Amino acid sequence: MVAFINEDQSKFVDVDSDRFSTALNMNDDEDEDSKYADDESERTTSRLLDSLCLDEPFFAVSAPNESSTLQLAHVHKNTSRLSTKGILTLMNHCEGLRELSLSYSFLSEELLEALSSNKSSLLQLDTLRVEAHPDAKPASTVSCEAWCAFATHFSNINFILLAYLTEVKDYEALLQSYVPLTHLYFGEEVPSSAIARVGERCPRLGELVVGAYGPETADCALLSIARGCPKLTALGLGDCEITCSAFVEFVAICREHLQVLYVSDTSLIEDSDYDVDKVSARVSALLGKPWQPNYVPYW
């Protein structure tokens, strides 16, 4: 795995010293400590990153004697941008790389085109993980053509999006049928109207976690997702409400492939057809295995 994170809260990264014993710290600061860290780290990891552009600010961690286990690239300043060239240079040093984790701010047309090119033919990427926050958005959106080329090149990619964006317009470029989303995690302040679009725009989705939805029930949104996401195998609901009848209908539609279902009893709104006990019995019958909601204590 290699991860690129954009943050300015701290210059220190918590690294598991049992797994990672060497580090290369390259920063555009000119203080003595950073110069010493650069010199000391370069001696131990120069073979790993000997061709990296030295003007790229990053923090790289690797296990000893294994260039294929590069784990982390950490940008010290929000004002500094790690270029596509820098990312690809790091990745080319890691022949065994299977996962790439990026801040949303690093996701670009140039990066996807480079990953999808013949020059990256040796890269066997299994997972792309993107974390999207309101204060770290890319300068421009990625085109349909770039996403399609990426999805074709990595036909079995697991694309994981952790979304904490709070404005509906910010989801316009991410929730599209040509974006190969397979795992989607919504934070607690995501607009309900953005979640409601998932069923229409995410046909490859296999896992969905919704932190919050409201103020109305999630009935229509979840039923749309059940019909529009035929590969959905896992659902987790946080601060959401769904009527018992709609929940049973959702499970009935997804039962052939649904494997993980996490819903609290406080999310289930009893109606004239079902109470929570009847829902448990009916869902168990549909899934062919015992199922109960997660019971929340009331103290």
Side-chain angles (χ1 to χ4, degrees):
M1 173 185 173
V2 57
F4 300 97
I5 307 167
N6 190 353
E7 64 176 48
D8 57 3
Q9 284 79 8
S10 174
K11 287 188 177 182
F12 301 98
V13 179
D14 185 15
V15 178
D16 185 349
S17 59
D18 292 334
R19 296 178 61 195
F20 312 119
S21 61
T22 61
L24 174 62
N25 186 16
M26 302 178 68
N27 190 8
D28 49 6
D29 291 338
E30 293 297 329
D31 58 78
E32 292 300 320
D33 290 341
S34 65
K35 287 182 179 179
Y36 174 79
D38 288 350
D39 293 341
E40 184 69 20
S41 299
E42 189 171 353
R43 285 195 292 270
T44 59
T45 59
S46 59
R47 185 171 62 85
L48 172 63
L49 299 167
D50 54 2
S51 66
L52 187 70
C53 301
L54 295 182
D55 59 346
E56 297 280 4
F58 71 95
F59 179 92
V61 180
S62 69
N65 304 320
E66 288 291 340
S67 64
S68 63
T69 58
L70 180 66
Q71 293 291 308
L72 178 66
H74 179 230
V75 176
H76 291 325
K77 293 184 176 181
N78 273 336
T79 55
S80 302
R81 286 194 58 81
L82 185 66
S83 70
T84 294
K85 181 179 179 181
I87 294 175
L88 293 174
T89 302
L90 284 171
M91 294 174 66
N92 287 336
H93 279 276
C94 310
E95 297 178 357
L97 182 67
R98 292 295 180 268
E99 180 172 333
L100 173 62
S101 181
L102 296 170
S103 165
Y104 185 36
S105 61
F106 293 132
L107 191 63
S108 68
E109 183 106 353
E110 183 186 10
L111 177 61
L112 289 191
E113 288 179 349
L115 290 173
S116 307
S117 69
N118 292 331
K119 293 181 180 180
S120 300
S121 58
L122 296 178
L123 183 62
Q124 302 296 318
L125 197 63
D126 295 330
T127 301
L128 173 64
R129 183 188 303 268
V130 173
E131 188 163 338
H133 292 271
D135 58 349
K137 293 182 284 190
S140 60
T141 58
V142 178
S143 69
C144 169
E145 292 75 16
W147 275 120
C148 289
F150 177 80
T152 300
H153 190 79
F154 299 104
S155 57
N156 296 316
I157 192 75
N158 291 309
F159 180 15
I160 302 170
L161 174 63
L162 293 86
Y164 304 95
L165 302 170
T166 56
E167 297 186 27
V168 176
K169 64 180 181 180
D170 291 331
Y171 289 94
E172 190 63 32
L174 288 170
L175 300 182
Q176 294 290 347
S177 59
Y178 51 77
V179 178
L181 276 173
T182 57
H183 299 69
L184 183 53
Y185 305 91
F186 284 119
E188 295 183 351
E189 297 183 14
V190 174
S192 296
S193 56
I195 300 172
R197 297 179 182 180
V198 171
E200 301 173 357
R201 303 188 179 187
C202 303
R204 303 188 186 195
L205 195 66
E207 182 171 319
L208 175 65
V209 175
V210 180
Y213 189 98
E216 69 276 7
T217 66
D219 291 15
C220 292
L222 289 178
L223 290 177
S224 172
I225 290 167
R227 299 186 182 101
C229 304
K231 298 181 179 181
L232 191 70
T233 61
L235 174 71
L237 298 181
D239 186 12
C240 309
E241 290 186 343
I242 181 172
T243 64
C244 289
S245 293
F247 182 67
V248 169
E249 185 177 354
F250 171 88
V251 176
I253 296 171
C254 300
R255 61 180 175 178
E256 295 297 328
H257 39 81
L258 197 61
Q259 299 174 9
V260 178
L261 188 57
Y262 181 91
V263 180
S264 68
D265 62 325
T266 55
S267 293
L268 296 172
I269 306 302
E270 297 181 348
D271 53 36
S272 58
D273 294 323
Y274 293 96
D275 58 21
V276 173
D277 290 336
K278 289 181 179 179
V279 165
S280 299
R282 181 57 181 155
V283 169
S284 296
L286 289 169
L287 296 178
K289 60 181 179 180
W291 180 88
Q292 283 189 331
N294 182 52
Y295 286 97
V296 178
Y298 288 96
W299 59 77

